[in-house]
Amino acid sequence: MSAHSSEVKVFVRTRPTACFAQDLIEYLPDKQTVNVRHRRESRKGVVNNQMSSWSFKLDGVMHNMSQEEVYQSVAHSVVLRALEGYNGTIMCFGQTGAGKTYTMTGATESYQQRGIIPRALQEVFYEVEQRVDHTFSVFLSFLEIYNETLVDLLASIKRGRAVQGGALTIVEDPGGGVSVKGLTLHPVHNEEEAFNLLFEGEMNRIIGEHALNKNSSRSHCIFTIHIESRSRTLSDEPYVTSKLNLVDLAGSERLSKTGSEGQVQREALYINRSLSFLEQAIIALTDLRREHVPFRQSKLTHSLKDSLGGNCNTVLVANIYGEAAQIEETLSTLRFATRMKCVRTQPSINEHIDPALQVRRLQKEIQLLKQELSLHDTLANRAVVPNESLSDRQVDEIKSQVQRYLAGTLDEITIVSIRQIQEMFTQFKKAVQEQEQKVKEQLSQKYSLVEKSENSIQSSTAAAAKEPVGAVGAVGAVGEVESGFGLGLAAPSQKHTQASSLNKSKGKKIKENSRKDVAQTSGPAEGVTVNQRETDALTPNCEPEDLEAPPVDQEEHKKKIDSPPCKFEAFEDFKLGRGSEINRILKENKGVLLERMDQLHKLTQAINSCKRDIDHMSSELQLCREQRQSQGQFVGEKGEPVLEEAELILLVGLREKKDQYRQSYEELLSTKAEVRYCQHLVDQCRIRLLTEFESWYNESFLLPEEVQTIFSEGGPIRPGLIPVDKALNLEADEQEQFQRLRTELLAEGPSAVSFYNAHNRTVQRRQQANSSQS
Ligand code: ADP
Ligand code: MG
């Protein structure tokens, strides 16, 4: 199913207050813009930012809005899309007491003031009843993340089925989604059953809350509605599933402001850390150059992975106070909200096909296609071609045809069937691979290659230590195997012997025809210049700075500096640790490459100087000849022409120089080839070092150890859930209040009845549980 990109929708909601800071917070008539002014004196004289006013553009400002209006703006469309198979996430973020729980759950004792979750449940069941052509299954789960510990808030209700047993852990599905292993999923068939579970979970949460802090919830809560829908009419249509996450985040206030200590301080530390990880994840998500998003740094970001960067319709409600005293928190909440607005998600329908159904459908299709094919054969007067797989004998026959075709003894191969063509390609591929292997072997023989696999690196290192390059006198070229690269030491090189024997035979020819030779000064002896481009190509990119750091641009490095570990330092560590072996080989290879290049340079100089000598001697010889011609030719006793001694010395000297020139020229060519080959290996070593570093870095960065230890240190144990007396007293009060409200508000409609029924039942359950304990 194709996905379209969509931005996270962000709303701001102010908690109603009698002293709204009109001079500091301004809502523009477009209902999307909030301007905040911040008086400097409120920062106790510390001025750390020149700006004193900010403007935030969001998707909507909800000021003095009822719960129903909030639901319609924020959640209505996400809920409808969830019924079509799109995942949805609605999150409330903000300072403690700013109204997150009020927005998400609402007041459980008042139907009118119920929040997004009860309204979403009502809408889901209303739609389920309307959409008669589909069957729906609805399941609920309620997860709490308290001090980095996952808690199943519905574990007390026995009916649910766990997503695999065992301790609660976040697992990633192959499709990129996340789920919590061990969390119970409770089937629900109507809104009253759903309210029952919501209130039960809230009650468990509230009791924890009262045991710790009377005013606020200290945990993140994720209430999830899981929906599955199948068509009643089309049996082989894919079925769709979706998850609607309704997230009430813990308060984002600063430690210094609350002045909290002990247990509460430790909680605040966990909350701050997980919220700052949430912010880091969001910053990474909005930076398109970042490949890695650190979702696994905290349970919160990990469990919201598919809601933040996945295929989800995501909405954030930023809850703020409208009061001057809270203006700094308001600012930081609005900054978080605008950052979140830049995150893009790819909403797409979660379609699934029943595998058994899929197999049946494909079998049917194959049958139809076979029939169609034989129909075509019949119409084209062709013998019916078998479509079954080829036998071994047929494969052998095709192989032999391909070999004969390549050898030229077979002109063409007659095409019979698709399977035959496919087999032919397979055989061609094998032939090419064999050929490549042969060429590689030949090359390695020619360049005295010494193979160095990763396992044999040590032994060859030892060998290298015994026979230093200089001592042997001839460095064999280069050994390269897929798993490792190394420059090997060859037995004394063959090429000198080859070159000298070549020159010897050439020398013979020179002797035979010295005159011709003299006339040939414009032959190969043209002087050698190593052309600039070639030199550039051959120069190893091995300046120290190039090799000491991975290709991270400085700018990017600066940006990443706050997300450990620093890549430059990590690369240094890597070269000393896991990458030390490949780094050592790289250095060795560079050493040999530089030595070869030095040799190339010296050869070039020697050849050029030789050429100058040849030119000089040739012109002198020419002078001698001209003189001889003007003065007349000397002849011997028998009348044979005789050369003067000076001319003879020049002639012999010139011949020797030319020999030397040819020899050096041969050597130059072969050194050039070696340099090219060495360069190639150095490049490959470098690439390999960097790629291994990258993957090592990514692995280590994905699961930074310090994060694991932070969360295991001291064990974030959830304190005892049930301080019995407090719970009993509270619930007795509440029950009395509900009974009163129930009679007063029955007029609110049938849904209100199930809302109150569910609430009362939860209270009763709690009382029964408490009395059986005492
Ligand atoms: P949070 O969950 O952010 O810590 P709460 O939702 O618990 O905050 O809100 C704190 C108090 O403020 C509650 O008593 C709640 O009823 C009240 N409150 C918050 N927002 C509103 C609102 N929009 N209208 C009425 N009361 C609100
Ligand atoms: Mg709350």
Side-chain angles (χ1 to χ4, degrees), residues 96-97 99-102 205 209 215-219 248-251:
T96 298
K100 298 180 296 295
T101 308
Y102 182 80
R205 186 185 178 192
E209 180 181 318
N215 305 315
S216 65
S217 44
R218 317 293 300 149
S219 57
D248 184 359
L249 294 168

Side-chain angles (χ1 to χ4, degrees), residues 441-451 474-480 486-495 674 677:
E441 276 162 17
Q442 280 168 1
L443 249 176
S444 66
Q445 273 166 14
K446 188 173 172 194
Y447 286 101
S448 317
L449 294 189
V450 176
E451 288 209 341
V475 179
V478 197
E480 176 192 354
L487 290 175
L489 298 178
S493 168
Q494 298 297 312
K495 67 183 183 302
E674 276 179 28
Y677 202 37

